[in-house]
Amino acid sequence: MSATALTKKDFVNDQEVRWCPGCGDYAILAAIQKTMPELGVAREKIVFVSGIGCSSRFPYYMNTYGFHTIHGRAPTIATGLALARPDLSIWVITGDGDALSIGGNHLIHAMRRNVNIKVLLFNNQTYGLTKGQYSPTSHPGTISKSTPYGSVDQPFSATAVALGAGATFVARTYDKDARHMSDVFKRAHEHKGAAFVEILQNCVIFNDGVFEDIVGKDQRVDHMLHLQHGERLRFGKDNQKGLAITDFAAEVVDAASGRLDDVAVHREDLQNPGYAFLLSHLMQPEFPEPVGVFRSVEKPGYESAVIAQIEEQTARRGRGNLDALLRSGDTWQIH
Amino acid sequence: MSSGASPVHSQNERQVKHETIESAIVRFAGDSGDGMQITGAQFTTTTGVAGNDLMTFPDFPAEIRAPVGTLGGVSGFQIHFSSRDIHTPGDLIDVLVAMNPAALKVNLKDLRPGGVLLVNTDAFDERNLSRVGYSSNPLEDPAVAEKYQLIRAPITKLTRTALEGLELQQNHMDRCKNFFALGVAYWLYQRDPETTTHWIKDKFKKNETFVEANLRALRAGYNFAEASELFTSRYEVRDAHFEPGLYRNINGATAIALGLIAGADRAGLELLYAGYPITPASDILHELSKHKNFGVKTFQAEDEIAAAGAAIGASYGGSLGVTASAGPGINLKLEAMNLAMITELPLVVINAQRAGPSTGLPTKTEQGDLLQSFFGRNGESPIPILASATPADSFDCSIEAVRLAVEFMTPVMYLSELFLIFGSEPWRVPSADSLPVIRHNQIQAGEDPAAFHTYARDEKTLARRWAIPGIPGFEHRVGGLEKDALSGAVSYDPDNHERMALTRQQKIENIANFIPEQSVYGEESGQLLILGWGGTHGAIRAAVEELKREGVSVSHAHLRYLNPFPRNLGEILKRFDTILIPELNLGQLSWLIRARFLREVVGLHKVKGRPFLVGEIKAKAMELLGRN
Ligand SMILES: Cc1ncc(C[n+]2csc(CCOP(=O)(O)OP(=O)(O)O)c2C)c(N)n1
Ligand code: SF4
């Protein structure tokens, strides 16, 4: 089967998709199904691995190899798979509860090791499948089933967690823009090593419109910052506003009237993650929220290092001989 | 005596008796910093090479370095060796080497009356004595000298004297005193120190002074025993009768590691072993990590959950995924095991049991996890369970665990025990091609996808096909949700769920047709059958052998397969009046036997973190036979 001949239809299977009508997950599914044929990867080489949650039902709807696993553990299964099968294109589908709560440990270690997996985190700031408790990304004060008087936890920024763990590729996109999603997915695919993508996703049932202030058609222009490598951090109508970064802090400045030179130029490729980390903490209403690629740097990949070590030892000692191994150590012969 | 360690020959005219004995049990005990484990390991290797049957049991504290000289810091190593077939590290010991008062206090009760008690008198100062609660020096106690052959040796001073002139700090000199003690033991049992000499030269090859120091200490101990008039006898334990072949000593951890490599090789699969450090499972990870040139991938995961997940991921990708842990870590893996169970993927989980619950006694042995293996997972979740009987048997058990996992597409629980992981015995090295061939049923490129259904099963094994990613046309989804019995699509249909639950159960029960029938040692029927599993094998077998020699008829059936039980087990149980089940737990196999066979049994339970003594089992058997 030649990969180039594939179309979106090849990635759709006969399973009925069972998300709530209007759920943002549909748009993400469509964007991925549309993007897959453009990656130049044979369909049988693509595997979707997920945890548990509404979003994690995703593999069932893809006509690829797929593994719906257990809550939070998808990165572990994907890591084992990547170690065993570096020839595969492995995509992890997870939610904010799945990846950041129960699976937080696994997420950070997969990022730290730089395993060649692409993690797509559907962030809806709620636990959808368990019917609407607040999640580790919910804003303080969130009223939910488990927090009738408002949540009192401080939230995570998903991208900040990934960056903190040393992720070599970190991006954010949102369910309302198929084009943007597709571009980000392609960049994630091209990245060698662990790629982390946060997708702002609307849960119509339990958290409808939670990102509206950022992704809403009318809000985007003022509240969303499109990151473009080599270009200044500008936003607002006619790009009139910009972000200056001085003394490790961001400041919104008027880019039109004279302070253009103060507006920072976006660099994805900085080895020091400090700048990307700063971006990952920008939040409404004080700042526009960035979408696009925060960071993309090259580092040695985990599975290739594991395999290189095996090859090196095999070259040094020769391919292991089972009989010789069994007979190793101090032996004696009985006649 | 060879290279670098030749003894002075007896100058004195004294008569040392040469006695030939059948067996001996020696225990080296000292502070955890005294190198007793190394001493024991060296004595073991030498004893194996000398042709004795042997079994060892190291016993050490959970703390790496408990405060020096305290009871909690005592580390011991016991070896039982013999000219006949033996099964346990032994009950009462013949020779106790006590490097300090703490070691004496902890171990003296296990020394048989008349046994040799070799003590390092230098360590018996007031401070060390009072630290462990001795108000007076027990070595001055006439009762001790009367009850045992007390050999007082100023080991620290003698070692320092032997090392005089070497450029070594005193603390480095003192570290050699374990080899002094080893030298004494070698003299006592007429051992050739050659293997140890080689070991020292290799171990310290980067530091000639250390080589010289340890060799000198070894020689000094040997010469001390020869020259001093403290010993009245030397002993000889003749060669045991072994089947012809090549032998080595092996402990359970190494046997498991080699078994996994061999199993993967015989299945034609790559091995991925994922673990998270925990005593006593860590040693399996350590051993496998050395063998990269076999293509073995080892993964030190962030926790036990991740280790199980990675192993499953590897199996899903077509490798053999294996993970191991002990109590607390096995708890963490259960959710992942259930995923492998419902997705019907091969997975080997090794439980190196230790004394629990929770962190329990992390360096002590127990058999407390049998029922967890059966019932620890949510839902109806049958999996094959097997257990090894001895350190060397762990090799075969690993291969068998691999076979069951791969041929039946299922996670397998392989129960080992701390006692088996650390204990060692001689092992006849098999040739690779004598090992069983393991068939896997991976979909091969070129097969017709039209005929493929995710959960279609082989008629005989009831295993589904292992469809691994990368083969065009076989794209499919698996996962923890219930699946349609044929297509594998998610199904919440009640009848389908029941059917799948029954099929999974049947698949595991059906394995009974693919494993050997249970054998019985001794009479096939009679008054008393001792039924055991796991590491109690040795103590039970030794007890039964002794009883038979004494003219008492008792039989022994030892279970390797705990789920499913061998087909004929029920029949065997019917043929005996009484069934005794000794276990290092509060009666877990007893529960299962009662439930499964509606058969009353008598349990013998011990949860002291220590293996059974042969005498304990004998006594219970005699009691049941009304013979005491
Ligand atoms: C071990 C375990 N704990 C809890 C659950 C219940 N559970 C299922 S999904 C979920 C939360 C999912 O939330 P999120 O990851 O945000 O995904 P969403 O449903 O919003 O897409 C929880 C707690 C589970 N399945 N397994
Ligand atoms: S509950 Fe929310 S996240 Fe889940 S399917 Fe419905 S809309 Fe989507």
Side-chain angles (χ1 to χ4, degrees):
Chain A
M1 200 178 303
S2 145
T4 45
L6 295 174
T7 67
K8 180 178 174 186
K9 265 203 270 165
D10 292 304
F11 289 90
V12 179
N13 65 24
D14 59 357
Q15 297 299 300
E16 184 197 348
V17 182
R18 301 206 340 194
W19 288 310
C20 309
C23 175
D25 289 353
Y26 285 98
I28 306 174
L29 175 64
I32 291 175
Q33 285 169 333
K34 175 190 161 288
T35 309
M36 286 293 129
E38 299 171 21
L39 301 182
V41 179
R43 190 177 61 182
E44 67 273 11
K45 293 278 192 184
I46 298 173
V47 184
F48 281 85
V49 181
S50 65
I52 297 290
C54 294
S55 45
S56 288
R57 298 289 174 90
F58 192 95
Y60 291 125
Y61 310 137
M62 290 293 295
N63 200 17
T64 60
Y65 283 93
F67 199 168
H68 177 224
T69 71
I70 37 180
H71 200 22
R73 318 302 176 197
T76 71
I77 284 147
T79 296
L81 181 60
L83 276 171
R85 296 291 303 278
D87 59 314
L88 300 174
S89 171
I90 302 169
W91 297 74
V92 170
I93 304 293
T94 181
D96 42 317
D98 195 56
L100 297 171
S101 206
I102 192 166
N105 194 29
H106 309 307
L107 177 74
I108 62 176
H109 289 284
M111 294 298 117
R112 163 177 79 82
R113 295 189 180 105
N114 203 24
V115 186
N116 190 20
I117 57 176
K118 315 300 158 193
V119 177
L120 309 183
L121 187 158
F122 296 18
N123 182 6
N124 52 17
Q125 288 192 3
T126 189
Y127 284 25
L129 196 65
T130 45
K131 299 205 174 78
Q133 300 82 5
Y134 77 114
S135 91
T137 53
S138 300
H139 294 300
T142 296
I143 307 279
S144 79
K145 287 243 167 73
S146 57
T147 52
Y149 311 116
S151 65
V152 296
D153 311 21
Q154 291 302 317
F156 268 149
S157 151
T159 52
V161 171
L163 287 162
T168 50
F169 180 95
V170 177
R172 182 187 285 153
T173 183
Y174 55 108
D175 60 4
K176 281 209 157 71
D177 189 339
R179 191 50 212 284
H180 193 264
M181 282 193 281
S182 184
D183 289 346
V184 167
F185 299 154
K186 276 186 240 166
R187 289 285 313 275
H189 169 72
E190 283 154 18
H191 178 73
K192 290 191 195 69
F196 176 85
V197 179
E198 175 185 12
I199 309 168
L200 307 181
Q201 173 246 327
N202 194 40
C203 169
V204 283
I205 304 297
F206 299 111
N207 218 4
D208 195 21
V210 68
F211 297 115
E212 197 55 23
D213 204 25
I214 305 157
V215 304
K217 267 220 158 52
D218 302 334
Q219 277 79 7
R220 273 182 223 176
V221 67
D222 280 321
H223 297 168
M224 189 183 273
L225 176 68
H226 275 269
L227 302 173
Q228 297 279 359
H229 182 65
E231 292 188 14
R232 290 189 195 273
L233 302 176
R234 295 173 70 176
F235 64 104
K237 191 160 173 281
D238 300 326
N239 274 340
Q240 278 171 343
K241 291 184 258 184
L243 276 188
I245 298 178
T246 35
D247 290 341
F248 311 109
E251 180 197 355
V252 176
V253 298
D254 188 340
S257 63
R259 288 198 65 185
L260 182 60
D261 287 348
D262 293 344
V263 176
V265 175
H266 182 54
R267 295 281 305 273
E268 303 170 351
D269 56 357
L270 298 175
Q271 283 296 331
N272 183 330
Y275 160 74
F277 199 61
L278 185 149
L279 288 184
S280 70
H281 282 89
L282 298 180
M283 268 193 223
Q284 272 289 309
E286 209 188 335
F287 293 104
E289 296 201 10
V291 296
V293 178
F294 287 60
R295 182 175 202 235
S296 176
V297 296
E298 290 223 0
K299 284 232 172 107
Y302 180 65
E303 58 282 288
S304 42
V306 167
I307 288 160
Q309 201 172 59
I310 287 177
E311 282 166 359
E312 185 195 313
Q313 289 303 315
T314 309
R316 265 189 43 192
R317 296 191 272 168
R319 170 78 201 177
N321 174 295
L322 186 54
D323 274 309
L325 174 67
L326 300 180
R327 282 191 236 114
S328 58
D330 293 307
T331 58
W332 63 94
Q333 187 78 41
I334 307 263
H335 298 284
Chain B
M1 190 135 204
S2 65
S3 41
S6 44
V8 288
H9 282 284
S10 258
Q11 307 286 323
N12 49 357
E13 295 297 305
R14 77 192 166 96
Q15 283 293 303
V16 177
K17 256 195 292 170
H18 282 250
E19 288 180 47
T20 300
I21 54 174
E22 191 179 61
S23 309
I25 300 164
V26 177
R27 187 184 292 174
F28 298 96
D31 192 73
S32 39
D34 282 343
M36 292 296 99
Q37 301 303 325
I38 292 174
T39 309
Q42 284 305 308
F43 194 87
T44 303
T45 309
T46 299
T47 303
V49 171
N52 295 152
D53 192 12
L54 66 87
M55 195 135 188
T56 71
F57 187 52
D59 187 18
F60 47 82
E63 290 70 28
I64 304 303
R65 288 276 187 279
V68 177
T70 57
L71 293 175
V74 174
S75 170
F77 187 103
Q78 181 164 325
I79 170 169
H80 181 190
F81 50 105
S82 179
S83 55
R84 66 179 167 82
D85 197 13
I86 51 164
H87 307 292
T88 73
D91 289 8
L92 286 181
I93 50 190
D94 299 306
V95 174
L96 172 64
V97 177
M99 299 298 277
N100 66 8
L104 184 77
K105 188 153 201 184
V106 169
N107 293 292
L108 190 61
K109 61 179 186 326
D110 297 333
L111 183 61
R112 72 164 166 78
V116 172
L117 173 60
L118 172 68
V119 290
N120 176 14
T121 48
D122 292 333
F124 283 69
D125 57 21
E126 211 160 302
R127 193 154 153 258
N128 283 344
L129 288 166
S130 67
R131 183 177 283 161
V132 298
Y134 277 125
S135 50
S136 64
N137 189 344
L139 306 182
E140 316 279 299
D141 179 355
V144 171
E146 210 164 281
K147 190 165 176 198
Y148 309 104
Q149 297 178 52
L150 176 62
I151 313 282
R152 312 160 114 271
I155 294 180
T156 313
K157 272 194 220 99
L158 290 169
T159 305
R160 284 182 197 165
T161 312
L163 270 48
E164 250 166 40
L166 287 179
E167 293 268 315
L168 263 190
Q169 288 169 343
Q170 196 166 79
N171 61 340
H172 283 133
M173 287 191 178
D174 288 355
R175 247 185 245 159
C176 299
K177 62 184 186 295
N178 61 331
F179 278 109
F180 186 100
L182 183 63
V184 175
Y186 280 171
W187 179 86
L188 200 56
Y189 290 101
Q190 310 188 41
R191 295 292 188 220
D192 185 346
E194 188 180 333
T195 317
T196 297
T197 305
H198 281 304
W199 183 86
I200 290 172
K201 286 180 177 167
D202 185 57
K203 170 87 181 171
F204 301 108
K205 59 173 172 267
K206 296 211 176 92
N207 188 327
E208 272 178 35
T209 316
F210 284 179
V211 171
E212 178 62 19
N214 284 294
L215 287 179
R216 276 201 208 174
L218 181 67
R219 200 185 314 149
Y222 197 99
N223 291 347
F224 164 80
E226 169 83 15
S228 71
E229 303 199 358
L230 298 169
F231 292 95
T232 50
S233 297
R234 291 179 84 174
Y235 304 97
E236 184 186 6
V237 177
R238 295 242 166 91
D239 290 3
H241 192 78
F242 282 106
E243 304 223 330
L246 186 76
Y247 285 79
R248 64 182 280 191
N249 284 325
I250 198 159
N251 67 26
T254 309
I256 288 173
L258 298 190
L260 292 174
I261 294 176
D265 181 88
R266 299 305 276 169
L269 296 171
E270 278 194 5
L271 172 64
L272 182 134
Y273 178 93
Y276 183 77
I278 185 168
T279 304
S282 303
D283 283 358
I284 306 169
L285 173 62
H286 302 166
E287 180 64 28
L288 283 168
S289 305
K290 294 183 206 157
H291 303 299
K292 296 262 182 277
N293 62 328
F294 283 82
V296 175
K297 290 173 185 157
T298 52
F299 175 55
Q300 182 176 319
E302 59 270 22
D303 60 24
E304 286 88 348
I305 298 173
I312 292 173
S315 283
Y316 174 68
S319 291
L320 172 67
V322 180
T323 186
S325 194
I330 294 294
N331 292 353
L332 292 178
K333 291 182 198 294
L334 290 166
E335 187 196 21
M337 288 186 71
N338 235 357
L339 177 69
M341 198 287 303
I342 193 165
T343 53
E344 305 191 41
L345 284 168
L347 172 73
V348 175
V349 180
I350 300 160
N351 182 352
Q353 296 167 93
R354 62 184 206 183
S358 190
T359 318
L361 306 177
T363 60
K364 307 295 169 195
T365 207
E366 205 164 280
Q367 301 182 304
D369 304 349
L370 179 59
L371 291 180
Q372 181 204 45
S373 310
F374 274 81
F375 307 119
R377 295 165 305 282
N378 67 301
E380 292 293 344
S381 179
I383 58 167
I385 302 165
L386 69 166
S388 47
T390 74
D393 179 52
S394 308
F395 177 80
D396 297 326
C397 246
S398 292
I399 297 178
E400 183 64 348
V402 173
R403 180 182 78 91
L404 296 181
V406 169
E407 290 187 0
F408 297 91
M409 296 291 286
T410 176
V412 172
M413 180 67 98
Y414 162 22
L415 295 170
S416 182
E417 289 155 51
L418 183 137
F419 167 70
L420 300 173
I421 295 277
F422 291 144
S424 62
E425 64 177 340
W427 175 52
R428 186 160 74 140
V429 181
S431 71
D433 44 321
S434 70
L435 302 173
V437 173
I438 297 171
R439 278 177 303 274
H440 67 68
N441 68 358
Q442 274 178 16
I443 301 260
Q444 305 297 319
E447 285 190 45
D448 177 14
F452 172 68
H453 303 289
T454 310
Y455 278 90
R457 292 169 193 282
D458 178 274
E459 265 175 40
K460 285 209 197 89
T461 62
L462 297 180
R464 73 178 190 95
R465 295 294 303 277
W466 193 355
I468 67 172
I471 303 180
F474 291 87
E475 292 85 355
H476 68 287
R477 274 65 55 192
V478 291
L481 290 172
E482 186 62 280
K483 298 294 186 293
D484 176 78
L486 192 63
S487 72
V490 173
S491 168
Y492 300 139
D493 179 71
D495 293 332
N496 179 73
H497 175 50
E498 187 169 82
R499 178 173 161 201
M500 285 297 265
L502 289 168
T503 307
R504 288 188 288 258
Q505 178 74 27
Q506 202 190 341
K507 178 175 91 167
I508 302 306
E509 279 174 13
N510 183 46
I511 292 177
N513 296 321
F514 298 86
I515 58 173
E517 291 207 330
Q518 182 61 45
S519 63
V520 177
Y521 174 81
E523 306 300 319
E524 290 286 326
S525 62
Q527 253 184 301
L528 180 63
L529 174 73
I530 308 188
L531 180 66
W533 68 279
T536 53
H537 170 271
I540 299 174
R541 181 57 56 91
V544 170
E545 280 181 357
E546 283 182 28
L547 287 167
K548 284 160 74 83
R549 257 182 268 139
E550 291 160 22
V552 182
S553 171
V554 176
S555 302
H556 177 200
H558 200 79
L559 294 166
R560 159 175 286 187
Y561 300 91
L562 293 146
N563 196 37
F565 285 126
R567 281 197 303 246
N568 59 333
L569 182 61
E571 278 309 308
I572 291 174
L573 298 180
K574 283 187 196 149
R575 297 202 297 256
F576 290 88
D577 301 338
T578 306
I579 313 251
L580 170 65
I581 303 185
E583 289 182 90
L584 297 176
N585 60 41
L586 296 180
Q588 302 196 12
L589 179 63
S590 294
W591 265 84
L592 292 167
I593 295 293
R594 285 190 193 107
R596 186 77 168 66
F597 299 101
L598 302 179
R599 171 71 217 244
E600 195 39 66
V601 297
V602 182
L604 174 63
H605 312 134
K606 179 170 176 178
V607 280
K608 295 176 190 250
R610 312 195 130 263
F612 277 115
L613 302 179
V614 177
E616 291 167 338
I617 293 173
K618 267 178 86 178
K620 185 71 188 177
M622 291 297 268
E623 178 199 317
L624 290 174
L625 293 168
R627 295 267 198 132
N628 52 347

